[in-house]
Amino acid sequence: MMKKSYCLGIESTADDFSVGISNFDGKILANVISAYIPEKGGIHPREAARHHAEVADKVLEEAFKKAKIKLKEISIIAFSQGPGLGPCLRTGATVARALAAYLNVPLVGVNHCVAHIEIGKLTTGAADPLTLYVSGGNTIVSAFDSGRYRVFGETLDIALGNCLDVFAREAGLSQRAGLPFGAMVEKIAGKGKKLIPLPYTVKGMDVSLSGLLTATVNLLKQSTYSLEDLCYSLQETAFSMVTEITERALTHTEKKEVLLTGGVAANKRLQSMIKYIAEEHDANFCVAPTQFSIDNGAMIAWTGILAYRHGVTTPVEKSFVRLKWRLEEVAIPWIK
Ligand code: AMP
Ligand code: MG
C-alpha cells in the first residue's frame, strides 16, 4: 500500500498565523488559526510578526493533534510566499524552510490570492467561478482564462475589509468584544434606516474606497447622523461598488458560478447582493465557509498539493517572500 502523504501549509501574510494539513485528495485534517489582535490601532507588521513567532509552535502542535498524524507523515511543506506584510511573511517562510529542511521534503511557495480561490472551489464545489475576493488586505474580481487567474477589477487604494475596520476603529468599537470589526459594522448597520449620500467611486472595472472612508469618518465626527445610519450607508455604498464591478466581469466572462470569499464574505448583506447578480445572470452563487474564507493554512496546504502535483516546488534559494506578488503573475498548470 502507498504511504499516506500530507501537505502542511503555513499562512502568515498579515494578522493571522495559521497551519493547515491536507491530504492529496483535498481532505482537510486540520486548520488552526491564531489571530493577532492589537491593543489599539491597526496591524503593526513587526508586532504581528512577533505574535506569529510566539504562537508558531503551539499552532503547529495543535494542528498535528487535530489531524492525528505525526510530523514524519508530512511529505510537502507549503507556505504563503506573498503578497503580504514583509515581517509577517518572513516569519512564516522561516518556519516553513526549517520544517522542510528538518523533514527533508520539498518546499512549495504559494500565492495567497490563488490559495483563497482554490480553497473556495474545493469547499463549495465550484469548478470555474468568477471570484470576488474581499478581505482585510485585498479586493479582487478574478476569473481563470488562458492559464492564469486574470484580474478583472480591484481596489485602487484600500481593501474593503480595511475600509470597514478603520471606520469601526474611528467609531471607537473594540475588537476585544470578540467579533471582527466588519461583523460589528454589519450588526450595527442592521439597525440603520437612512441611506446617507456618500462618494461612490467606480473607475472602469476598479473601485476606490479611501474617499468613501474619509467622507464617512468626517460625518461620524460631525455627529449629524447616527452610527447605525452611517454603518448602513457605508456598507450599502461600498458593497454596491464591488457588486457593480463583479456583475460587469460576470457579463464579460459569462462564467456560470460566482464565488464569494475572503473575510468580508461572511457579511450577509454582501452575500445577498452578490447572490442577486449571480441569479440575474443564471450563475450559481457560492460562498466559502468562514474558516476557509478568512486567512487560513488549509488553503495553503491544498494549493501546495495542486502545485506539487504539477511539478511546482520552490528551492530554498528562491523562497524569498514576495510582498507584491500579483495573482495574474502565477501560472496555474493544474487547470486545463
Ligand atoms: P481576512 O483578511 O481574510 O483574514 O479577513 C479579515 C477581514 O474580514 C477584516 O477586515 C474583518 O473586519 C472582515 N470581516 C469579518 N467578518 C465580517 C463581516 N461579517 N462583515 C464584513 N467584514 C467582515
Ligand atoms: Mg486576516
Side-chain angles (χ1 to χ4, degrees), residues 14-16 112 116 133-138 160-165 175 179-187 235 239 261-268 270 290 293-296:
D15 57 334
D16 301 299
H112 176 85
H116 268 290
Y133 160 38
V134 274
S135 68
N138 292 286
L160 181 55
N162 189 231
C163 176
L164 300 172
D165 294 351
Q175 257 194 126
L179 272 184
F181 280 134
M184 286 185 215
V185 171
E186 176 176 23
K187 220 169 141 190
Q235 275 201 173
F239 294 173
T261 191
V264 187
N267 191 290
K268 293 280 184 292
L270 179 61
T290 300
S293 254
I294 59 174
D295 293 342
N296 68 90

Side-chain angles (χ1 to χ4, degrees), residues 36-101:
Y36 161 69
I37 300 175
E39 283 294 332
K40 62 176 178 26
I43 305 167
H44 190 298
R46 256 182 293 123
E47 290 301 317
R50 189 207 304 240
H51 159 270
H52 298 350
E54 280 170 8
V55 301
D57 62 335
K58 275 184 246 112
V59 174
L60 277 164
E61 198 182 315
E62 203 182 322
F64 279 101
K65 215 188 257 171
K66 284 243 164 75
K68 298 194 175 69
I69 63 161
K70 302 240 173 332
L71 186 61
K72 295 275 178 212
E73 290 176 88
I74 298 293
S75 49
I76 308 166
I77 301 286
F79 70 103
S80 253
Q81 199 171 359
L85 306 172
C88 302
L89 284 168
R90 277 180 214 108
T91 306
T94 304
V95 176
R97 286 185 207 108
L99 281 171

Side-chain angles (χ1 to χ4, degrees), residues 128-177:
D128 179 26
L130 175 81
T131 302
L132 172 62
Y133 160 38
V134 274
S135 68
N138 292 286
T139 301
I140 295 174
V141 178
S142 167
F144 183 83
D145 186 29
S146 312
R148 280 158 203 259
Y149 285 114
R150 309 287 166 175
V151 175
F152 286 90
E154 62 193 313
T155 179
L156 296 170
D157 40 53
I158 56 171
L160 181 55
N162 189 231
C163 176
L164 300 172
D165 294 351
V166 173
F167 179 76
R169 274 204 302 274
E170 291 285 342
L173 305 178
S174 160
Q175 257 194 126
R176 297 269 161 201

Side-chain angles (χ1 to χ4, degrees), residues 18 93 104 125 167 194 227 238 264 277 288 302:
S18 174
N104 194 23
F167 179 76
K194 183 179 165 53
L227 183 60
V264 187
I277 55 136
W302 172 234

